């Protein structure tokens, strides 16, 4: 009989505090002894202040300036109120650490280092309190919660890590001393690597070649180079390069263009400098609209044009209103020097890595700024369209990976270090897990417990099945990791919806079999309790965790016994019944 281990469930909240938007993801983990098992994939966990799964990194101070009045889109709306605009604070992250730079860029000098830290603290405190109220049932955080924060990799490398030290210190002030040891900090490239690995996007290229991960954020760009092990999907780290260059620079440049197009006198803007923040938001939306059209337009479909009605009321009551259009040629002319700066950044990174274009087998673009069509265009022209991968929702790649870091064994970012996602450990019979207070995970845990389905091997290894998808394969990030040459890296997946369990073969080399019959690839097959499943040469039986489980539920056919005996298992069903009677 398998030994009993203590088990508890924790919820991890991952935050990516970007320059223009903040992202929040959550993921559940089950701790069993010294092992950690992830419960499902990281999922967005937006709060009421979030819009479209993100929180604009902007807030409004109270009239006395000592506290926050509003955050997110509410504060963006206040930019249109000329009487409240001076109290709005945004795009402060680039100013963190600028005092240590010999020649800081203009956008790094908007606020002092101390102001940028204070604004970050104020917004973070508001977000943490919302997490507690909305995701933790207004209870105090305890040992069942973890937090992880992304940070630009150069913060930990430049100036002896002083910028990262200051960032860590301010984050810790937002939490009680009781849980500060449960807070982790993850470099953004590391989060990107973990996320891309889990999604199978770090496949490398035929014949080898170096993989570049280019993370273009709102204020910084970090690049990591490495080679992908074709057998394990692990990235052997070669080097990193980063600069304070991001998509926000395009917004600032376009805002000047809008000011000129609206014919706003420079003297009027000098009297109302906060008006430029409003123009910057308009510029950002025009840029994003044009990029979406450019990236998704078919060849020969003409030259897309973004349009937006812009209204700006200055402090003196003067109103400027005009329908603005932005096409590719206008954008290229306005942003040519920024595109050239990005090209130079890639040049310097390649030189730092000692690489040429011929060495590159894959270039993965992540980060919100990676969706800018001119950046995608340059990367495709430089490395070849077939080698450039623009991840789905690239602005969420980092925060998603930060959520995975808790269950990963990750080496330091040093040459030769291997970044590895450890396989989910084998789950053994255990006592009741601690309840998870996050409402969404709590419901999932209750449903999974009610379902009570699992796979069990001839050796007695037990793999509980959670609601949703369970991936099976030789890839180390699989939920059920099978170390066998007969098992493909992405072999099969199980899907548990309510009380219905299906299995699908994913085109594996050696096949997936149910009761000795090979399944057609990519066609879900309904499973019953007692069914025998074989992935390559690895055999399991579908069982219920108790006699009161799914065996008697409507829609799940069969019982704990299965009419088809298999010589490999012998009296397996007799042993199984005795196991649950112990």
């Amino acid at each position: 009989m398998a030994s009993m281990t203590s088990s508890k469930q924790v919820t991890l909240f991952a935050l990516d505090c970007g320059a223009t938007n903040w992202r929040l993801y959550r993921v559940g983990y089950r701790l069993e002894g010294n092992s950690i098992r992830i419960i499902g994939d990281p999922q967005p966990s937006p709060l009421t202040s979030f819009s479209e799964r993100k929180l604009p990194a902007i807030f409004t101070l109270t009239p006395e300036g000592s506290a926050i009045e509003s955050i997110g889109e509410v504060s963006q709306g206040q930019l249109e109120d000329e009487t409240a605009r001076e109290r709005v604070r945004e795009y402060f992250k680039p100013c963190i650490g600028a005092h240590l730079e010999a020649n800081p860029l203009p956008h790094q000098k908007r606020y002092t280092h101390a102001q940028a830290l204070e604004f970050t603290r104020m917004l973070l405190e508001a977000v943490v309190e919302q997490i507690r109220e909305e995701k933790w049932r207004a209870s105090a955080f305890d040992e069942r919660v973890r937090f992880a924060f992304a940070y630009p990799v150069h913060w930990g490398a430049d100036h002896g890590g002083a910028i990262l030290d200051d960032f860590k210190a301010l984050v810790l002030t937002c939490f009680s001393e009781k849980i500060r040891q449960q807070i982790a900090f993850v470099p953004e490239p590391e989060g990107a690597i973990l996320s891309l690995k889990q999604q199978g996007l770090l496949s490398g290229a035929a014949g080898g070649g170096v993989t570049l991960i280019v993370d273009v954020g709102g204020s910084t760009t970090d690049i990591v180079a490495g080679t992908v092990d074709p057998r394990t999907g692990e990235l052997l780290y070669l080097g990193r390069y980063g600069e304070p260059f991001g998509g926000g620079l395009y917004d600032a440049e376009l805002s000047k263009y809008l000011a000129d197009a609206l014919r706003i006198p420079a003297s009027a803007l000098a009297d109302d400098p906060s008006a430029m923040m409003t123009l910057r938001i308009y510029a950002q939306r025009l840029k994003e609209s044009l990029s979406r059209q450019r990236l998704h337009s078919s060849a020969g479909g003409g030259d897309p044009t973004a349009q937006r009605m812009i209204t700006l009321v200055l402090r003196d009551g003067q109103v400027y209103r005009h329908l603005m259009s932005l096409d590719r040629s206008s954008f290229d002319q306005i942003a040519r020097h920024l595109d050239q700066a990005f090209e130079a950044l890639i040049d310097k990174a390649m030189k730092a890595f000692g690489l040429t274009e011929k060495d590159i087998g894959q270039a993965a673009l992540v980060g919100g700024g990676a969706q800018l069509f001119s950046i995608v265009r340059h990367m495709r022209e430089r490395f070849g369209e077939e080698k450039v991968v623009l991840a789905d929702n690239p602005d969420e790649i980092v925060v998603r990976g930060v959520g995975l870091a808790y269950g990963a064994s990750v080496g330091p970012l040093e040459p030769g270090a291997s970044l590895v996602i450890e396989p989910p450990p084998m789950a053994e019979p255990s006592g009741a897990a601690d309840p998870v207070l996050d409402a969404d995970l709590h419901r999932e845990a209750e449903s999974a417990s009610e379902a009570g389905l699992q796979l069990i091997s001839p050796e007695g290894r037990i793999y509980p099945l959670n609601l949703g998808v369970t991936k099976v394969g030789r890839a180390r990030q699989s939920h059920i990791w099978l170390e066998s040459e007969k098992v493909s890296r992405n072999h099969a997946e199980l899907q548990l919806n309510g009380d219905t369990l299906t299995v699908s073969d994913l085109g594996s080399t050696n096949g997936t079999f149910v009761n000795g019959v090979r399944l057609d690839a990519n066609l879900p097959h309904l499973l019953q309790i007692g069914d025998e499943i074989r992935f390559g040469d690895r055999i399991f039986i579908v069982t219920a965790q108790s006699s009161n489980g799914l065996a008697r539920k409507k829609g799940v056919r069969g019982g704990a016994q299965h009419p088809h005996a298999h010589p490999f298992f012998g009296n397996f069903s007799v042993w199984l019944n005795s196991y649950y009677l112990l």
Side-chain angles (χ1 to χ4, degrees):
M1 176 177 171
S3 62
M4 302 288 286
T5 61
S6 61
S7 174
K8 72 175 180 178
Q9 195 164 296
V10 302
T11 301
L12 181 139
F13 293 103
L15 289 99
D16 182 5
C17 304
T20 55
N21 292 296
W22 285 19
R23 302 278 180 178
L24 174 66
Y25 263 57
R26 65 114 174 96
V27 59
Y29 286 92
R30 183 173 291 116
L31 279 61
E32 298 176 339
N34 294 323
S35 65
I36 301 172
R37 178 182 174 88
I38 191 171
I39 305 173
D41 291 334
Q43 297 293 331
S45 188
L47 307 173
T48 54
S49 59
F50 279 46
S51 60
E52 297 180 355
R53 297 158 51 133
K54 66 180 182 291
L55 172 73
I58 180 172
F59 67 87
T60 305
L61 291 167
T62 55
E64 63 275 13
S66 59
I68 286 182
E69 179 180 274
S70 62
I71 64 177
E73 281 203 339
V74 175
S75 293
Q76 280 191 346
Q78 288 183 297
L79 286 174
E80 299 178 7
D81 180 357
E82 68 278 10
T83 63
R85 199 159 49 218
E86 289 184 349
R87 296 187 283 116
V88 176
R89 300 292 182 269
E90 52 89 50
Y91 206 59
F92 39 84
K93 181 180 179 180
C95 300
I96 296 177
H99 66 301
L100 298 174
E101 301 294 335
N103 297 296
L105 298 171
H107 71 285
Q108 296 178 286
K109 297 187 291 184
R110 292 188 63 197
Y111 308 106
T112 66
H113 172 69
Q115 287 174 322
L117 288 175
E118 176 64 8
F119 296 156
T120 302
R121 182 194 63 79
M122 295 175 75
L123 184 56
L124 180 57
E125 283 186 341
V127 170
V128 168
E129 179 59 22
Q130 280 199 349
I131 293 173
R132 193 185 70 83
E133 291 285 344
E134 299 177 25
K135 304 296 182 183
W136 211 249
R137 298 182 182 177
S139 301
F141 294 130
D142 54 28
E143 72 280 357
R144 291 167 292 184
V145 68
R146 303 289 188 275
F147 285 87
F149 289 84
Y151 67 87
V153 69
H154 66 269
W155 280 8
D158 298 344
H159 312 294
I163 305 174
L164 178 58
D165 290 341
D166 284 350
F167 177 68
K168 287 182 176 180
L170 87 84
V171 168
L172 294 179
T173 64
C174 300
F175 296 91
S176 67
E177 186 174 352
K178 178 181 178 181
I179 69 163
R180 287 178 183 174
Q181 63 181 1
Q182 296 157 210
I183 299 172
F185 298 86
V186 181
E188 291 172 359
E190 182 179 304
I193 290 168
L194 293 172
S195 185
L196 291 170
K197 279 188 62 178
Q198 196 215 32
Q199 297 180 58
L201 295 178
L202 282 188
S203 58
V210 174
T211 291
L212 291 181
I213 299 175
V214 183
D215 180 7
V216 186
S219 62
T220 62
T221 295
D222 284 323
I223 304 173
V224 166
T227 57
V228 177
D229 186 322
R231 296 176 296 105
T232 65
E234 297 172 10
L235 185 75
L236 182 63
Y237 176 78
L238 296 178
R240 70 94 187 164
Y241 185 84
E243 284 189 10
F245 175 96
L249 295 181
Y250 289 85
D251 303 335
E253 202 63 33
L254 287 169
S255 66
K256 299 174 187 177
Y257 164 75
L258 296 181
D260 291 340
L262 290 168
R263 298 182 180 179
I264 304 176
S267 57
L269 289 174
D271 293 336
D272 189 1
S274 61
M276 288 301 293
M277 288 193 295
T278 307
L279 292 178
R280 190 177 171 281
I281 297 298
Y282 280 126
Q284 178 185 356
R285 292 170 177 168
L286 271 173
K287 177 196 71 177
E288 291 175 349
S289 177
L290 179 63
S291 288
R292 283 193 298 270
Q293 294 181 57
R294 291 293 308 169
L295 290 174
H296 297 103
S297 62
S298 58
D303 190 6
T305 300
Q307 291 187 327
R308 180 171 289 272
M309 180 61 71
I310 295 179
T311 302
L312 179 65
V313 182
L314 294 183
R315 186 186 304 160
D316 60 7
Q318 183 69 37
V319 179
Y320 295 88
R321 181 180 175 85
H322 190 68
L323 178 64
M324 297 298 304
S325 298
L326 182 66
D327 57 22
R328 187 191 67 175
S329 59
S330 298
F331 179 90
D332 287 345
Q333 183 176 357
I334 297 164
R336 181 176 293 115
H337 66 291
L338 293 176
D339 288 339
Q340 291 171 346
F342 177 76
E343 295 169 13
L345 187 157
I346 299 296
D347 287 339
K348 286 182 279 187
M350 296 288 284
K351 184 177 180 179
F353 301 148
L355 300 172
T356 67
E357 281 74 6
K358 292 187 297 183
D359 298 320
I360 305 302
Q362 181 186 37
L365 285 168
V366 302
Q371 300 175 92
L372 183 57
F373 75 92
S374 62
I375 286 178
V376 177
R377 179 179 62 196
H378 171 70
M379 294 295 291
R380 288 174 174 170
E381 290 175 351
R382 183 166 196 151
F383 299 107
E385 186 165 353
E386 72 285 353
K387 293 183 180 180
V388 176
V389 177
L390 179 61
D392 292 336
N393 299 317
D395 46 350
E396 299 182 12
I397 289 292
V398 167
V399 68
R400 201 175 181 282
V402 170
L404 294 168
Y406 181 61
S409 173
V410 183
L413 287 180
E414 299 291 342
S418 181
L419 303 183
V420 181
I421 297 181
E422 292 293 341
M426 178 194 73
E428 298 180 350
S430 62
D434 290 340
V436 175
L437 295 180
D438 180 328
D440 293 337
L441 279 177
H442 188 70
R443 285 192 294 272
E444 291 175 8
E446 288 179 335
S447 298
S449 174
E450 181 184 8
L453 284 182
Q454 58 192 13
L455 298 186
I456 186 167
S457 73
E459 300 82 15
R461 291 189 175 184
I462 296 173
Y463 298 84
L465 300 177
N466 297 301
L467 291 178
V469 173
T470 298
K471 298 179 180 179
V472 181
R474 201 176 72 249
R476 294 179 68 88
Q477 66 266 33
S478 301
H479 299 107
I480 297 179
W481 177 55
L482 304 177
E483 192 174 16
S484 169
E485 291 300 320
K486 298 292 185 180
V487 176
S488 298
R489 291 189 68 253
N490 299 299
H491 195 104
E493 66 181 26
L494 297 148
Q495 177 85 40
L496 180 59
N497 292 319
D499 55 9
T500 300
L501 177 66
T502 61
V503 60
S504 300
D505 183 83
L506 300 179
S508 64
T509 301
N510 294 301
T512 300
F513 298 78
V514 175
N515 301 322
V517 179
R518 183 164 184 165
L519 303 182
D520 293 330
N522 301 310
L523 290 178
H525 179 86
L526 182 65
L527 292 170
Q528 307 175 58
I529 292 175
D531 276 344
E532 173 203 293
I533 309 177
R534 177 158 59 90
F535 306 108
D537 61 352
R538 303 297 298 275
I539 300 176
F540 300 88
I541 292 291
V542 180
T543 71
Q545 291 183 10
S546 72
S547 58
N548 295 322
L550 279 182
R552 295 205 297 261
K553 284 181 175 287
K554 181 180 179 181
V556 178
R557 301 169 295 166
Q561 303 283 341
H562 194 274
H564 301 289
H566 193 283
F568 182 81
F569 284 89
N571 294 323
F572 180 79
S573 61
V574 176
W575 175 89
L576 183 64
N577 288 336
S578 66
Y579 176 89
Y580 285 112
L581 293 174
L582 293 177

